[in-house]
């Protein structure tokens, strides 16, 4: 079948993840939506590897996974420390930079 | 009708539904589970697309490690932390949905334009020696520099997480037992000297989730673990209160 | 011929004025005496120059002195230079002579004023400017003096500017003068464009080659300047209000000298007017209108100074009328100017003396019967009165009679109209001057309760006496043997025009004397008996109009002031609403857009995330569009 379908699927998942980042207020759920976006991108890379006939897409996907893992680690640590001091995990609470 | 097609058309809608569900459910834990489902589905897609190494790594690293990490943090932060459905920034939802729909549409159109008339080359040649060998050849060959940098990143991330999550030992933990004991007896009220009341005391049932009753029959909040209270798993004490009991003959109730 | 004395005419009074202004209060004790001595010294220099001029041959009488090169730009060369010829010397003697007498008078008249020194400084400044005006050898040099006397007039009319009405009167005089000055500027520009030069000698050489249109235009512009400075119709409304200044100022500036500058200008420009008959006709018409205008106003004024001011306006009308008749009339105009200087200044000083004795009361209805108490004033004023109405052999008879004769000699219908108007003016002049005499010095006493009229001190009546002598004698001296006409001829009558006689001179004299008798009789009939101390209010419409200066202020207001005010408020509104509105609008737009943009900084992370997504969408959209 045409691997382009995977690309469409990837675009759709990416958009869903984008909406999730904006709409949800719980910090952890926002993070999960970001993970969804990263995964969608990975799917696209793997599909491109298949379409172009070399493995470089997969290499990039692999590196992306590593970076995503690091990012999750650090991000969640930040969330935990914010939660400890503020007792709230809502993204809207960090609005001190408003006018 | 190859197997791939069937697989795709069976799994892809489920993936999309799971992603939407992850977006829409109230409880964060449910979102995490749905995301795990999405990741496993993607692993299957990788496997189908001649990327076995990546598929396994996806399950091991992402689903196994990253999502577990998410669940652990959820547990620490609060399993019941849920968002209210009411949006407090006006118009945000509408604009966001519209924008991302437009984004998806534009992206789809661009993809369609870019890929029409191009046949996939397939990975038979690249995977000639095996997928892992091919990948290894690239990672340790052409992209070794990126590989080294990413490993440095990993180490930095681990260090960063340690630093961020580190807490000082609480002041109470540093006190010696003698000090703590005297503080307990000379504290504000002697009532806490003996420790918190146990669950189910004077109640008709002494499970962990039944609160103890005070002398006037009201339940005591101190006897139930906070976690259970947050989770809403505390039993009602009315079932076990003294008022509901049938009167004994000739006896005055106190 | 050149002389090196001319500069002192201007420099000495100017220096004295500056000294008195700069030294301030330190000069209060001696300032007035110093100023008077300086003025007297210019008179002596004038006499000296006059005698020297008389001893010279006719061709050599004019002397010049170049001070420095003023403007030297390409083809435009103007020197700051002075010219003293027969016309200038007449004016110089008048200005310095009458001026010095008035300086002497002011020593006493202004003795109670703590700003007397400043008054004398201004008087000297006026003398310097007026001398520069009559001594300038080009229109531009004349203009400097012209402006200077305008300034001096403003300063002196508004001398007591603690009273807002006086300050406003000064402003009114200055502004109306300015309209005339505009005419002079245009005339100078026309002169330069047509002749390439602005000096009198330079223009006189080239007059023959210029077009009549240019000459008529220049003549009309000069006429406009003259009407402004000499208070002729249509720029005459300021003269009555100028009486707000102290009486010596009225005597010097608004009777004898500054207001005669217009006559000087036209006479000096005789070569232009003689070549532009239409401009001359305009001059004559203006003269006739003004002489009747002033006379009518003068009949209804109760303020003695304003009555004399109206009389001045009318007499200058006679002079302007005379200058409009070309070489036949210039000499008589100047002669009348000189005699008028004597008797009008004398009468103004007399009025000042009366005011001084009646505690500054100016309303003639509150005078009456003063002859017994102020004999010297009565006699000097009376001699001036006889001169102005034209009783022979006093001064006015000779000069005014000649003007009437010249008017008739213009010939044809024009001559009869102008001559008839001049005669009518003589009747009215006799009437209102007799009225002034009767109301002031004779009749019943209508004083206020605290009035105690007394004769003025010596320093005040001595100048009046000298001027009275002039009123008596000057006419005969100037006229006998055609002395003055011959004297002035080299300046105004170079080509020896033939003078036509329409009526024999004796007929004109009889007509003139008859006019005087008629006027005096009417006045005697009306004002001989008991007079009320308040002006009667049930008067006919002509009197009412005359009391309102023949509605001159109303006309000016309607035609110029109100439209000017409306224009100013329209411009102000435009400035405020349109221009300021635009500027403020720009500011408000910036503020509004800033306020709008501030909302972007909501502090919510999710908003920022949305913005990122929108940015990504825009980039995708651009790629989509570009790769179409």
């Amino acid at each position: 079948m045409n691997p382009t379908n995977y690309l469409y699927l990837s675009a759709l998942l990416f958009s869903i993840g984008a909406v999730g980042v904006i709409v949800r207020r719980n910090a952890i759920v926002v993070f999960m939506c970001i993970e969804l976006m990263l995964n969608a991108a990975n799917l696209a890379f793997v599909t491109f590897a298949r379409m172009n006939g070399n493995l470089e897409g997969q290499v990039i996907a692999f590196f992306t996974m590593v970076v995503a893992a690091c990012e999750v680690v650090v991000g969640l640590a930040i969330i935990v420390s914010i939660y400890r001091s503020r007792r709230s995990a809502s993204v809207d609470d960090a609005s001190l930079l408003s006018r | 009708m190859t197997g791939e097609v069937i697989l795709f058309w069976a799994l892809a809608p489920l993936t999309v539904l799971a992603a939407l569900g992850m977006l829409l459910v109230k409880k964060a834990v449910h979102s995490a589970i749905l995301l795990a489902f999405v990741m496993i589905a993607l692993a299957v897609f990788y496997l189908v697309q001649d990327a076995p190494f990546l598929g396994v790594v996806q399950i091991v690293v992402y689903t196994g490690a990253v999502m577990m990490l998410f669940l652990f943090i959820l547990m620490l932060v609060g399993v019941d932390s849920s968002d209210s459905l009411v949006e407090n920034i006006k118009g945000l939802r509408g604009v966001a949905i519209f924008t991302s729909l437009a984004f998806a549409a534009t992206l789809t159109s661009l993809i369609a334009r870019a890929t029409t008339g191009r046949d996939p080359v397939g990975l038979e040649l690249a995977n000639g020696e095996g997928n892992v060998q091919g990948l290894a050849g690239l990672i340790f060959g052409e992209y070794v520099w990126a590989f080294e940098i990413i490993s440095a990143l990993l180490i930095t991330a681990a260090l960063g997480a340690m630093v961020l999550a580190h807490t000082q030992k609480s002041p109470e933990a540093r006190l010696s037992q003698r000090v703590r004991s005297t503080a307990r007896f000379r504290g504000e009220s002697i009532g806490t000297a003996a420790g918190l009341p146990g669950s189910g005391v004077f109640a008709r049932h002494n499970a962990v989730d039944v609160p103890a009753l005070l002398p006037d029959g009201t339940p005591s909040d101190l006897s139930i673990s906070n976690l259970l209270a947050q989770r809403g798993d505390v039993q009602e004490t009315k079932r076990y209160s003294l008022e509901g009991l049938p009167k004994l003959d000739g006896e005055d109730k106190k | 011929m050149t002389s090196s004395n001319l500069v002192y005419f201007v420099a000495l009074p100017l220096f004295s004025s500056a000294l008195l202004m700069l030294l301030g209060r330190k000069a209060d004790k001696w300032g007035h005496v110093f100023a008077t001595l300086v003025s007297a010294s210019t008179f002596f220099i004038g006499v000296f120059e006059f005698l020297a001029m008389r001893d010279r041959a006719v061709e050599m009488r004019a002397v010049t002195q170049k001070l420095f090169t003023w403007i030297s730009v390409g083809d435009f060369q103007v020197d700051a230079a002075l010219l003293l010829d027969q016309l200038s010397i007449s004016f110089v003697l008048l200005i310095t002579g009458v001026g010095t007498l008035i300086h002497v008078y002011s020593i006493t008249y202004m003795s109670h004023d703590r700003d007397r020194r400043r008054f004398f400084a201004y008087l000297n400044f006026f003398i310097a400017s007026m001398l520069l005006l009559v001594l300038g050898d080009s229109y531009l040099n004349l203009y400097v003096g012209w402006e200077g006397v305008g300034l001096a007039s403003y300063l002196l009319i508004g001398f007591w500017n603690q009273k807002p009405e006086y300050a406003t009167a000064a402003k009114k005089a200055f502004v109306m003068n300015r309209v005339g000055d505009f005419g002079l500027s245009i005339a100078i520009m026309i002169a330069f464009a047509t002749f390439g030069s602005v000096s009198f000698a330079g223009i006189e050489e080239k007059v023959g080659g210029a077009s009549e249109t240019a000459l008529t235009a220049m003549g009309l512009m000069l006429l406009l300047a003259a009407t402004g400075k000499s208070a002729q119709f249509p720029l005459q409304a300021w003269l009555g209000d100028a009486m707000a200044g102290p009486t010596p100022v009225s005597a010097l500036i608004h009777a004898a000298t500054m207001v005669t500058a217009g006559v000087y200008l036209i006479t000096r420009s005789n070569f232009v007017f003689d070549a532009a008959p239409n401009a001359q006709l305009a001059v004559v018409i203006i003269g006739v209108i003004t002489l009747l205008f002033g006379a009518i106003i003068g009949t209804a004024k109760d303020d003695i100074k304003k009555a004399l001011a109206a009389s001045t306006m009318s007499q200058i009308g006679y002079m302007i009328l005379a200058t409009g008749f070309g070489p036949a009339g210039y000499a008589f105009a100047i002669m009348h100017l000189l005699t008028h200087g004597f008797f009008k200044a004398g009468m103004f000083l007399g009025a000042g003396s009366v005011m001084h004795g009646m505690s500054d009361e100016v309303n003639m209805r509150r005078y009456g019967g003063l002859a017994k108490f102020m004999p010297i004033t009565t006699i000097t004023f009376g001699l001036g009165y006889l001169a102005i109405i034209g009783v022979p052999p006093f001064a006015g008879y000779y000069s005014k009679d000649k003007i009437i004769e010249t008017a008739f000699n213009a010939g044809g219908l024009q001559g009869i109209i102008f001559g008839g108007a001049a005669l009518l003016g003589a009747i009215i002049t006799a009437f209102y001057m007799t009225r002034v005499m009767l109301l002031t010095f004779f009749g019943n006493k209508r004083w206020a309760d605290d009035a105690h009229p007394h004769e003025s001190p010596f320093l005040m009546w001595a100048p009046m006496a000298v001027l009275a002598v002039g009123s008596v004698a000057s006419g005969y001296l100037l006229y006998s043997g055609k002395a003055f006409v011959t004297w002035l001829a080299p300046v105004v009558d170079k080509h020896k025009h033939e003078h036509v006689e329409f009526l024999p001179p004796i007929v004109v004299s009889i007509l003139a004397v008859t006019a005087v008798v008629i006027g005096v009789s009417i006045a005697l009939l009306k004002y001989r008996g008991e007079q009320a101390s308040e002006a009667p209010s049930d008067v006919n419409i002509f009197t009412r109009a005359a009391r309102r200066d023949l509605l001159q202020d109303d006309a000016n207001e309607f035609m110029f002031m109100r439209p000017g005010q409306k224009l100013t408020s329209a411009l102000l509104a435009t400035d405020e609403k349109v221009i300021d509105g635009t500027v403020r609008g720009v500011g408000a737009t910036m503020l509004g857009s800033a306020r709008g943009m501030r909302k972007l900084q909501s502090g919510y992370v999710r908003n920022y995330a949305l913005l990122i997504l929108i940015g990504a969408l825009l980039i995708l959209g651009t790629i989509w569009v570009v790769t179409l």
Side-chain angles (χ1 to χ4, degrees):
Chain A
M1 62 159 261
N2 199 348
T4 324
N5 293 341
Y6 288 107
L7 292 176
Y8 296 142
L9 175 66
S10 154
L12 191 55
L13 286 177
F14 188 87
S15 315
I16 295 175
V19 174
V21 167
I22 296 170
V23 168
R24 294 300 299 243
R25 249 171 301 168
N26 192 338
I28 301 178
V29 177
V30 168
F31 237 106
M32 287 199 277
C33 293
I34 292 178
E35 285 306 307
L36 178 60
M37 285 157 79
L38 278 164
N39 275 285
N42 274 356
L43 176 62
F45 276 124
V46 170
T47 313
F48 286 140
R50 178 173 166 205
M51 284 166 75
N52 290 340
N54 56 25
L55 287 174
E56 285 178 354
Q58 294 187 14
V59 170
I60 296 176
F62 177 67
F63 286 153
T64 308
M65 268 188 229
V66 174
V67 171
C70 302
E71 172 212 343
V72 166
V73 160
V74 177
L76 288 178
I78 293 175
I79 290 180
V80 164
S81 79
I82 288 180
Y83 181 77
R84 267 202 217 130
S85 59
R86 283 175 197 250
R87 287 284 135 188
S88 158
S90 168
V91 162
D92 278 345
D93 288 345
S95 64
L96 284 178
L97 274 177
S98 72
R99 53 187 174 90
Chain B
M1 279 287 251
T2 59
E4 189 193 346
V5 175
I6 302 174
L7 180 66
F8 177 80
W9 286 111
L11 210 45
L14 287 176
T15 313
V16 173
L17 280 173
L20 281 171
M22 183 198 83
L23 204 55
L24 297 172
V25 290
K26 269 173 56 172
K27 288 208 169 180
V29 181
H30 299 169
S31 295
I33 301 298
L34 287 169
L35 184 62
F37 176 79
V38 169
M39 287 181 178
I40 295 180
L42 285 179
V44 172
F45 286 142
Y46 295 162
L47 286 168
V48 162
Q49 292 206 77
D50 295 332
F53 177 67
L54 227 46
V56 175
V57 166
Q58 168 91 343
I59 293 181
V60 168
V61 170
Y62 251 119
T63 325
V66 172
M67 289 317 298
M68 289 309 116
L69 188 56
F70 266 110
L71 285 168
F72 271 121
I73 300 299
L74 270 174
M75 176 188 80
L76 277 179
V77 165
V79 286
D80 70 329
S81 51
S82 55
D83 298 339
S84 71
L85 281 177
V86 176
E87 175 64 68
N88 61 352
I89 299 178
K90 278 195 304 214
L92 189 70
R93 221 173 255 184
V95 177
I97 293 175
F98 171 76
T99 311
S100 73
L101 280 177
F103 190 84
T106 318
L107 208 48
T108 309
S109 161
L110 278 171
I111 293 171
R113 254 199 262 151
T115 56
T116 44
R118 282 171 65 158
D119 286 325
V121 177
L123 283 171
E124 289 79 21
L125 198 61
N127 278 346
E129 288 170 19
N131 184 251
V132 180
Q133 288 81 343
L135 273 177
L138 274 178
I139 288 176
F140 293 105
E142 201 176 329
Y143 297 108
V144 66
W145 179 227
F147 171 73
E148 300 293 341
I149 302 263
I150 287 188
S151 46
L153 178 66
L154 265 176
I155 297 173
T156 315
L159 277 173
M162 266 202 302
V163 167
L164 279 169
H166 175 70
T167 52
Q168 298 277 17
K169 238 172 149 184
S170 66
E172 296 145 353
R174 272 189 266 121
L175 299 168
S176 71
Q177 190 184 24
R178 184 193 183 83
V179 175
R180 266 190 271 165
S181 174
T182 39
R184 208 194 306 161
F185 281 96
R186 295 207 181 132
E188 240 180 54
S189 104
I190 199 81
T192 53
L196 293 171
S199 60
V201 175
F202 294 133
R204 298 273 306 268
H205 200 81
N206 67 347
V208 173
D209 53 354
V210 175
L213 292 178
L214 292 171
D216 59 355
T218 54
S220 159
D221 292 322
L222 291 172
S223 57
I224 296 286
S225 155
N226 276 349
L227 207 51
L228 286 176
Q230 277 183 342
R231 272 210 325 232
D233 283 336
V234 181
Q235 299 269 10
E236 262 217 39
T237 53
K238 227 174 164 183
R239 280 173 54 200
Y240 309 106
S241 72
L242 294 171
E243 268 90 33
L245 289 176
K247 272 217 262 221
L248 294 174
D249 298 335
E251 210 179 56
D252 290 340
K253 265 203 353 221
K254 287 258 180 12
Chain C
M1 256 197 70
T2 60
S3 159
S4 55
N5 294 337
L6 302 184
V7 68
Y8 293 115
F9 281 119
V10 179
L12 283 176
L14 199 58
F15 165 73
S16 159
S17 166
L19 189 70
L20 289 181
M21 290 302 290
L22 287 172
L23 283 181
R25 295 269 161 227
K26 289 204 259 286
D28 270 351
K29 297 240 169 37
W30 50 269
H32 48 286
V33 179
F34 182 72
T36 312
L37 288 175
V38 165
S39 178
S41 67
T42 56
F43 176 66
F44 291 129
I45 300 178
V47 170
F48 172 76
E49 285 292 328
F50 172 66
L51 293 173
M53 191 187 280
R54 236 178 30 152
D55 287 340
R56 289 200 289 268
V58 173
E59 313 77 55
M60 309 250 285
R61 279 193 178 156
V63 291
T64 58
Q65 179 179 9
K66 175 175 158 177
L67 299 174
F68 53 87
T69 307
W70 183 13
I71 301 175
S72 173
V73 179
D75 289 333
F76 188 51
Q77 303 275 339
V78 177
D79 291 338
L82 303 173
L83 162 72
L84 185 69
D85 64 1
Q86 294 90 327
L87 179 62
S88 320
I89 193 69
S90 322
F91 273 88
V92 166
L93 288 174
L94 174 72
I95 296 165
T96 53
V98 176
T100 308
L101 288 172
I102 292 181
H103 275 77
V104 172
Y105 182 90
S106 305
I107 295 179
T108 315
Y109 190 82
M110 302 291 285
S111 58
H112 297 305
D113 198 314
R114 82 187 269 268
D115 288 322
R116 179 167 58 163
R117 164 204 48 89
R118 186 160 60 95
F119 184 77
F120 275 86
Y122 290 160
L123 275 185
N124 271 12
F125 175 68
F126 170 78
I127 300 280
S129 306
M130 189 76 201
L131 285 173
L132 181 57
L133 196 158
V134 300
L135 286 174
D137 84 327
S138 67
Y139 280 108
L140 215 50
N141 289 327
L142 185 149
Y143 199 25
V144 178
W146 191 270
E147 294 289 331
V149 296
L151 174 63
S153 166
Y154 169 78
L155 290 171
L156 284 165
I157 295 175
F159 187 70
W160 289 317
N161 53 16
Q162 299 86 339
K163 272 206 172 180
E165 302 89 67
Y166 296 171
T168 312
K171 229 186 341 180
K172 179 176 178 182
F174 194 76
V175 171
M176 294 189 87
N177 266 193
R178 215 75 198 99
V179 179
D181 297 350
F182 169 73
L184 187 52
S185 320
I186 303 285
I188 296 179
M189 291 177 206
I190 296 176
F192 179 61
T194 319
F195 305 107
S197 158
V198 292
S199 71
F200 300 130
I203 297 177
E204 195 172 355
E205 280 173 2
K206 302 187 185 137
V207 159
S211 72
E212 191 170 323
T213 330
L215 286 168
T216 311
M218 186 170 165
L220 288 174
M221 285 297 121
L222 289 172
L223 176 61
L224 179 65
T227 59
K229 197 61 90 182
S230 300
Q232 301 294 293
F233 184 85
L235 294 173
Q236 82 290 0
W238 62 270
L239 191 59
D241 291 309
M243 297 299 116
T247 310
V249 170
S250 310
L252 179 59
I253 299 186
H254 304 122
T257 42
M258 186 182 97
V259 291
T260 57
V263 182
Y264 171 78
L265 181 68
I266 297 182
T267 310
R268 182 56 87 188
S269 315
N270 57 73
F271 36 84
V272 172
F273 283 100
D274 288 345
N278 291 328
Q280 278 186 324
L281 185 61
V283 172
V284 168
I285 293 174
I286 295 285
V288 162
I289 294 177
T290 312
L291 74 90
L292 288 174
F293 196 93
I296 296 175
I297 294 179
T299 58
K301 288 285 169 193
D302 286 336
D303 181 334
I304 189 174
K305 283 178 72 170
K306 289 209 164 86
L308 288 175
S311 160
T312 306
M313 194 195 295
S314 175
Q315 295 303 309
I316 299 182
Y318 273 102
M319 298 176 214
I320 299 275
L321 172 71
T323 57
F325 290 119
Y330 289 124
F332 298 126
I334 304 296
M335 200 160 83
H336 192 58
L337 192 155
L338 295 173
T339 58
H340 175 265
F342 281 112
F343 55 69
K344 191 48 71 62
M347 281 200 286
F348 260 110
L349 293 186
S353 170
V354 169
M355 282 163 59
H356 182 86
M358 295 291 283
S359 323
D360 290 331
E361 173 70 62
V362 287
N363 190 349
M364 288 193 289
R365 299 272 175 195
R366 304 218 132 256
Y367 290 164
L370 291 174
K372 236 193 323 243
F373 297 87
M374 305 170 110
I376 307 185
T377 309
T378 315
I379 295 176
T380 54
F381 197 95
L383 291 174
Y385 153 76
L386 290 173
I388 194 174
I389 62 175
V391 171
F394 294 99
Y397 164 71
Y398 287 100
S399 47
K400 212 197 299 188
D401 179 62
K402 282 292 153 194
I403 293 178
I404 300 175
E405 188 183 316
T406 317
F408 277 118
N409 286 346
L413 184 62
Q414 272 189 354
I416 297 187
I417 295 179
F418 296 139
L423 271 180
L424 179 63
I427 299 178
I428 307 179
T429 307
F431 169 76
Y432 70 72
M433 285 313 301
T434 314
R435 171 180 180 265
V436 169
M437 278 298 287
L438 289 175
L439 279 178
T440 310
F441 295 107
F442 302 106
N444 56 330
K445 303 190 183 68
R446 303 180 296 275
W447 315 332
D449 294 326
D450 58 345
H452 54 279
H454 54 278
E455 189 55 81
S456 307
F458 170 72
L459 279 181
M460 275 173 75
W461 65 255
M464 286 157 55
V466 173
L467 290 170
V469 169
S471 313
V472 174
S474 59
Y476 181 72
L477 282 174
L478 286 174
Y479 183 66
S480 65
K482 288 198 181 258
F484 192 68
V485 178
T486 326
W487 171 259
L488 207 54
V491 179
V492 299
D493 195 10
K494 294 209 171 63
H495 307 289
K496 297 283 183 271
H497 286 96
E498 264 305 311
H499 295 278
V500 184
E501 254 189 31
F502 184 69
L503 284 177
I506 191 73
V507 174
V508 176
S509 303
I510 294 177
L511 282 173
V513 175
T514 320
V516 169
V517 169
I518 295 175
V520 173
S521 326
I522 302 178
L524 274 175
L525 278 173
K526 199 158 186 272
Y527 291 103
R528 195 186 32 184
E530 291 268 321
Q531 295 297 318
S533 60
E534 296 295 324
S537 50
D538 56 340
V539 289
N540 61 27
I541 187 165
F542 296 109
T543 317
R544 261 204 288 268
R547 280 193 190 155
R548 284 184 66 102
D549 297 312
L550 289 177
L551 304 172
Q552 66 187 8
D553 286 330
D554 302 303
N556 276 338
E557 235 174 81
F558 177 73
M559 282 196 291
F560 301 112
M561 195 196 99
R562 298 246 172 268
Q565 276 186 333
K566 289 217 174 57
L567 180 66
T568 312
S569 30
L571 286 175
L572 198 64
T574 310
D575 178 48
E576 244 177 85
K577 297 212 175 54
V578 173
I579 297 178
D580 280 0
T582 311
V583 171
R584 258 187 251 123
V586 168
T589 314
M590 296 309 305
L591 264 180
S593 57
R595 225 175 267 133
M597 286 206 276
R598 215 168 26 154
K599 292 211 178 88
L600 279 177
Q601 297 280 339
S602 62
Y604 290 125
V605 179
R606 299 193 286 145
N607 272 348
Y608 303 150
L610 178 60
L611 288 173
I612 296 175
L613 184 62
I614 292 176
L617 175 63
L618 286 173
I619 293 177
L620 269 189
T622 317
I623 296 176
W624 193 86
V625 167
V626 165
T627 57
L628 256 178

